Each structure stands twice: as C-alpha cells, then as structure tokens.
C-alpha cells in the first residue's frame, strides 16, 4: 500500500474568483513544489479547464482528478469528480443545461477564462459561474453517481455555501462519498455534531484561488496506485484503502 | 389567527401537513438560510422561504413553527412533503414573492 498527498479542491483562472495566475502550468508547478501527487480541479459550475491540465500533468507525475465545484439550488457547494472524458463531458452538458443565463460582469466578478498550456486564451465563458444551478443537492448527487463519479459536499463546516449553513444540518440520508472540512474544525467535532457521519471519510483541501494556497491543506490517500477506482475505494473505506488527514 | 385562517385570507395553497392547520400563528420569519432559521426563529412563527428541501420540514418541527409558506410557486419536494406530513407541519404555497407575502401577512397579523 502507498500513501499519496492529495489536494482535491483547486480553482483555476476559469473561476471568476480564481487569480489570473492560476493557469494550468502554474498550478502544476505549485503542486509539484508542495509535493502534492493528486490534484482535484474544480472550478465553479464548469469542467472546461480540466482537459488541458490533465494533458500536461503527466510530465509532472501528478494525477489530475477532473471535476467541478457545483453550486446547488440551495447554494450548497459540492465537489464532483469523474472517471473519464465521456462522463466529464456528459456532466459539462448537464451543467450547461442548468446554469442560469446571467452574463458575467468582469468588473464585478472577474475573468472566466479557459486557457491552453501556453496560456493563450481559448474561451471567455459568458455566463456567471458562481450562480446556483437549477438542481438540488440530491439531484446533483444522483447525477454524479449515475456517471460513476465521486460526490463530496465542500467545506461543510463553513458559515457560507455549505451543507450546514444552507440546510441547517447535514441531511442523514445524503449520498456522499466523503465530506470536505476546513482547517477550522476536526473530524471529531463534526461527528459530535452529526453522529451519523461516524464511519464517513473526511478530506481537507486548500480550496486554492491563489497559487500560494495550493497544498496549504491536503489529505493522505492510502491505496495501491493513483487511479480513479482506487481513490473512490479509499474515500469509501473499501478493501483496506482509506484516507487520513 | 390559525394557519387555516391565514391560508384562506391570503389565498394560499395547502400542500401537506393538514394536521397542523389549527396551529396558532404568532408572527413570521423570513429566511432562506436554514442555519439562520434554526438559530433565530421563534415558536409559533410562520416561516416564509423558497427552500423546499426536507430539512425545512425538520427544522420547522424542531423550532415548533406554526407552518411553512413557500413563495414564487415553489412546491415541497417529495421528501419534504413526506416529512412535513409525518411531523404535522402545514406547508402552504403562493405565487407571490417573499416581499409581497410578508407584507400581506404582517398587515393581517397587525390588523
């Protein structure tokens, strides 16, 4: 069994709130410097920057988990990751179908750019990505799982955009592979608050919007190799694989 | 005033939780943040919101609220309807916005 350092919550220049320095190459450089071996790319409500980062990550010996941080109808942030290009593209179509068509005001919210490996701008995404999509947490979780993906409610202890802030408490029957907590709390504190999370996996990640934040928080995955299946098993505590903080 | 009387006066649909229609309404609370309602609402208030997650019914019951009014044509989802039915929390609905229905409810309760 091996141990890998994973930071599964990283934004790019495509998120309006992501710094302009968060280009594919810069993110990989920063992750390498921090000795992070698995990164999750999750921009707000879009997966469009994942492909380029995946394409060049091999050179860095970094595994990229492609996905998005989806904002539900209740304005709960949820990390969603996908096993392959087909499922990722399918989920991108789902996001496009459900995102409200509110134009992004660059002056107020910031740029939403897809860039290539040479940092050329490929797309200026038109709709404001930080809106809530027209789907509930449960609908999103069902969609992600129907595509074989991984569903992780983000920073559940935070006072904004979290399961707890938006829904008052963690719904006991929510179908999640794991829960992300911030550095301000502990697994024990969360289980005390919601005893039904006792056997669940918790992860910590950086939620980086700036290069210097990458790897600030990370989780350790204990598993045989870096693959989507192994990661999903570790999150679900299966076959001896597990995640520790 | 009871929830039933308010439903009649303000033309509200009754979706579920009829068992609680005789609950007395002592005031209102307007919020879409469930953590806020959990911390700050008071027993007897009618809760005006656009959220239709099942936790809405659970929190209304926990805080002993008199009922839930869903705005802008929102309807309880299946899980919320089931929970509201079990807890006997009346769930009502209106096409009006939170601003409009709150104004009307305020006037009605003041009058």
């Amino acid at each position: 069994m091996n141990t890998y350092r994973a930071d599964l919550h990283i934004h790019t220049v495509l998120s309006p709130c992501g710094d302009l320095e968060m280009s594919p190459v810069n993110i990989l450089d920063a992750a390498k410097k921090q000795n992070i071996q698995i990164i999750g790319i999750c921009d707000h409500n879009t997966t469009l920057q994942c492909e380029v980062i995946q394409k060049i990550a091999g050179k860095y010996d970094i595994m990229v988990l492609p996905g998005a941080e989806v904002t539900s109808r209740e304005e709960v942030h949820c990390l969603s990751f996908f096993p392959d290009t087909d499922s990722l593209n399918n989920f991108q179509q789902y996001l496009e179908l459900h995102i409200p068509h509110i134009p992004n005001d660059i002056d107020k919210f910031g740029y939403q750019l897809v860039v290539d490996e040479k940092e050329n701008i490929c797309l200026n995404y038109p709709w404001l990505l930080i809106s809530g999509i027209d789907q509930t947490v449960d609908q999103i979780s069902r969609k992600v799982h129907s595509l074989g993906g991984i569903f992780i409610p983000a920073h559940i202890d935070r006072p904004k955009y979290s399961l707890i802030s938006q829904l008052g408490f963690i719904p006991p029957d929510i179908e999640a592979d794991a829960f992300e907590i911030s550095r301000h709390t502990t697994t024990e504190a969360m289980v005390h608050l919601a005893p039904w999370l006792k056997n669940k996996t918790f992860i910590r990640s950086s939620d980086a919007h700036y290069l210097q934040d990458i790897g600030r928080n990370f989780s350790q995955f204990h598993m045989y190799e870096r693959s989507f299946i192994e990661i999903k098993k570790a999150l679900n505590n299966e076959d001896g694989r597990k995640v520790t903080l | 005033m009871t929830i039933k009387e308010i439903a009649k006066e303000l033309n509200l649909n009754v979706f579920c939780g009829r068992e609680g229609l005789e609950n007395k309404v002592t005031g209102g609370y307007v919020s879409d943040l469930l953590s806020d309602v959990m911390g700050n609402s008071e027993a007897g208030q009618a809760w005006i919101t656009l959220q239709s997650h099942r936790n809405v019914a659970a929190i209304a019951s926990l805080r002993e609220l008199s009922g839930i009014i869903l705005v802008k044509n929102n309807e309880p989802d299946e899980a919320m309807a089931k929970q509201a039915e079990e807890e006997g929390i009346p769930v009502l609905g209106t096409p009006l916005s939170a601003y409009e229905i709150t104004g009307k409810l305020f006037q009605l309760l003041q009058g």
Side-chain angles (χ1 to χ4, degrees):
Chain A
M1 204 80 86
N2 296 300
T3 299
Y4 301 96
R5 280 156 70 112
D7 181 353
L8 295 189
H9 190 162
I10 297 175
H11 291 268
T12 80
V13 66
L14 178 52
S15 292
C17 37
D19 191 50
L20 277 176
E21 293 295 312
M22 294 293 266
S23 68
V25 170
N26 287 348
I27 287 171
L28 288 162
D29 279 336
K32 190 79 195 167
K33 216 179 282 175
Q34 296 296 322
N35 198 20
I36 297 293
Q37 294 145 309
I38 304 168
I39 59 172
I41 297 300
C42 28
D43 284 305
H44 292 294
N45 292 332
T46 179
T47 65
L48 290 175
Q49 192 70 75
C50 295
E51 196 187 336
V52 177
I53 302 183
Q54 263 185 311
K55 203 173 94 186
I56 56 176
K59 278 190 289 198
Y60 294 81
D61 188 29
I62 288 173
M63 180 191 173
V64 176
L65 210 51
E69 181 178 31
V70 187
T71 307
S72 75
R73 186 177 174 278
E74 305 92 346
E75 302 205 337
V76 175
H77 285 182
C78 315
L79 306 181
S80 308
F81 299 108
F82 299 91
D84 50 40
T85 311
D86 279 354
S87 53
L88 190 70
N89 291 344
N90 184 310
F91 194 68
Q92 179 61 30
Q93 284 169 16
Y94 168 83
L95 291 172
E96 303 268 353
L97 190 67
H98 292 291
I99 194 163
H101 286 187
I102 302 166
N104 178 33
D105 182 332
I106 290 166
D107 293 332
K108 287 201 176 69
F109 299 109
Y111 288 99
Q112 301 183 156
L113 305 173
V114 177
V115 302
D116 66 15
E117 62 262 47
K118 297 199 176 78
E119 304 188 349
N120 297 309
I121 295 170
C122 308
L123 177 76
N124 193 339
Y125 195 84
W127 311 122
L128 180 62
L129 287 167
I130 52 173
S131 307
I133 70 167
D134 179 25
Q135 292 279 285
T136 64
V137 172
D138 290 336
Q139 285 170 324
I140 296 164
S141 145
R142 274 198 293 275
K143 176 69 183 177
V144 171
H145 285 139
S146 78
L147 293 169
I150 290 170
F151 182 79
I152 305 176
H155 42 65
I156 59 171
D157 56 303
R158 301 298 290 146
K160 273 188 201 167
Y161 304 118
S162 76
L163 266 185
I164 292 177
S165 73
Q166 306 306 110
L167 294 180
F169 59 94
I170 297 155
D173 55 351
I174 189 162
E175 289 183 14
D177 295 274
F179 296 87
E180 185 194 50
I181 55 174
S182 78
R183 63 182 186 281
H184 304 291
T185 192
T186 61
T187 302
E188 293 72 30
M190 292 318 293
V191 172
H192 180 72
L193 198 65
W196 52 93
L197 299 181
K198 189 165 171 252
N199 295 315
K200 287 288 183 182
T201 294
F202 293 88
I203 65 164
R204 269 207 195 99
S205 14
S206 67
D207 196 357
H209 288 73
Y210 295 87
L211 288 172
Q212 64 266 30
D213 295 338
I214 292 174
R216 177 179 59 180
N217 303 294
F218 59 88
S219 308
Q220 305 195 72
F221 281 67
H222 307 278
M223 54 193 186
Y224 278 104
E225 57 179 13
R226 284 178 293 176
S227 69
F228 189 88
I229 292 173
E230 284 284 307
I231 289 172
K232 187 153 177 155
K233 275 187 179 176
L235 290 168
N236 286 284
N237 252 316
E238 287 169 11
D239 298 339
R241 281 79 163 167
K242 62 177 181 180
V243 178
T244 55
L245 297 179
Chain B
M1 254 187 159
T2 64
I3 280 281
K4 193 177 176 182
E5 288 163 340
I6 283 167
K8 194 170 167 239
E9 289 290 327
L10 300 182
N11 264 326
L12 307 175
N13 300 322
V14 180
F15 292 121
C16 49
R18 286 188 167 72
E19 203 185 297
L21 281 176
E22 298 299 332
N23 289 351
K24 197 166 167 352
V25 181
T26 56
Y29 198 82
V30 192
S31 180
D32 299 321
L33 266 185
L34 277 61
S35 51
D36 169 50
V37 180
M38 192 122 109
N40 299 300
S41 61
E42 286 168 19
Q45 289 174 331
W47 178 7
I48 295 164
T49 182
L50 52 70
Q51 298 272 22
S52 53
H53 190 272
R54 61 187 172 279
N55 280 14
V56 171
I59 289 168
S61 168
L62 192 75
R63 301 295 297 184
E64 298 178 352
L65 304 182
S66 50
I68 298 158
I69 302 174
L70 297 179
V71 300
K72 295 203 305 182
N73 284 322
N74 280 288
E75 293 182 14
D77 67 19
E78 209 178 301
M80 175 178 170
K82 190 168 167 268
Q83 181 135 16
E85 205 59 62
E86 281 167 16
E87 312 267 1
I89 298 285
V91 181
L92 316 169
T94 175
L96 299 179
S97 71
Y99 173 70
E100 291 167 303
I101 198 67
T102 301
K104 285 176 190 285
L105 179 63
F106 186 83
Q107 258 183 343
L108 194 62
L109 292 177
Q110 292 296 304

